[in-house]
Amino acid sequence: MKLDQHQHDIHPSIATGQSDNFESNGDEDLYTPPLNFSMVDNGIFRSGFPDTANFLFIKTLGLRSIVYLCPEPYPEHNVEFLKANRIHLFQFGIEGTKEPFVNIPETTIREALKVVLDVTNHPLLIHCKRGKHRTGCLVGCLRKIERWCLTSIFDEYQRFAAAKARISDKRFMEVFDASGFKDVPASPCSCSKRKTHHHHRTQYIPPIAMLW
């Protein structure tokens, strides 16, 4: 999932996932990221629901597609923005709920993943209402396809869900079968990085022979 040709156009604060406002070339217009905005992978972003205040920022991403995970119709002003910027909308309606245990539609998640994995749809933004549960589950399943360890998947999910994290979401990601998605390159997770660091830190170096 590489789309390097778009990366040089992205402001540094986007790539680092910062959500602070910034000004462009001294202009008074503020570029405001949506709630919970972050980069997932090259050409893939995530966030909460974008509003009109976020449109200038979103234009800097050069999006081709948006994956919308709510069942409600897309607001008219958002639809007009997509049309004006030639952004294709993929809607996968997943009901939101505050219940701690809910059946997450696996078929819908799998269909959304096919869109996310298709590089012809990149750059792409995944969003639901607040960018926590539905978006978190979809990104978590993407990480399983990328062969992340569960610890790293749950850590990423927790960063966005915070106190609203749900056991049902974690259970869904844990049992999700990613074997049906082939030819997707692995992406290093924090666990593999820690293991590599630990390996280098504990590497045995033989003593130098003393000369008498």
Side-chain angles (χ1 to χ4, degrees), residues 169-190:
D169 288 348
K170 293 183 177 181
R171 177 61 178 166
F172 178 82
M173 291 181 280
E174 181 180 5
V175 302
F176 179 78
D177 182 8
S179 62
F181 294 89
K182 303 186 183 299
D183 301 323
V184 178
S187 175
C189 65
S190 56

Side-chain angles (χ1 to χ4, degrees), residues 120-175:
T120 63
N121 296 322
H122 295 181
L124 173 148
L125 174 68
I126 304 166
H127 80 82
C128 52
K129 185 176 181 181
R130 299 192 177 277
K132 294 181 178 181
H133 302 112
R134 286 168 281 196
T135 299
C137 284
L138 182 61
V139 172
C141 292
L142 173 64
R143 297 308 193 191
K144 286 203 76 174
I145 295 171
E146 294 178 325
R147 297 187 282 284
W148 276 32
C149 67
L150 278 176
T151 299
S152 293
I153 293 173
F154 291 164
D155 283 350
E156 183 178 40
Y157 170 83
Q158 187 71 45
R159 284 202 307 272
F160 294 93
K164 301 292 186 178
R166 295 172 180 165
I167 296 175
S168 56
D169 288 348
K170 293 183 177 181
R171 177 61 178 166
F172 178 82
M173 291 181 280
E174 181 180 5
V175 302

Side-chain angles (χ1 to χ4, degrees), residues 79-92:
V79 172
E80 291 302 319
F81 172 78
L82 298 191
K83 288 180 180 178
N85 291 276
R86 298 181 179 181
I87 301 172
H88 186 75
L89 177 66
F90 295 92
Q91 182 171 2
F92 299 93

Side-chain angles (χ1 to χ4, degrees), residues 198-210:
H198 178 74
H199 171 73
H200 288 304
R201 183 165 54 86
T202 59
Q203 184 177 9
Y204 174 72
I205 301 176
I208 300 175
M210 296 182 64

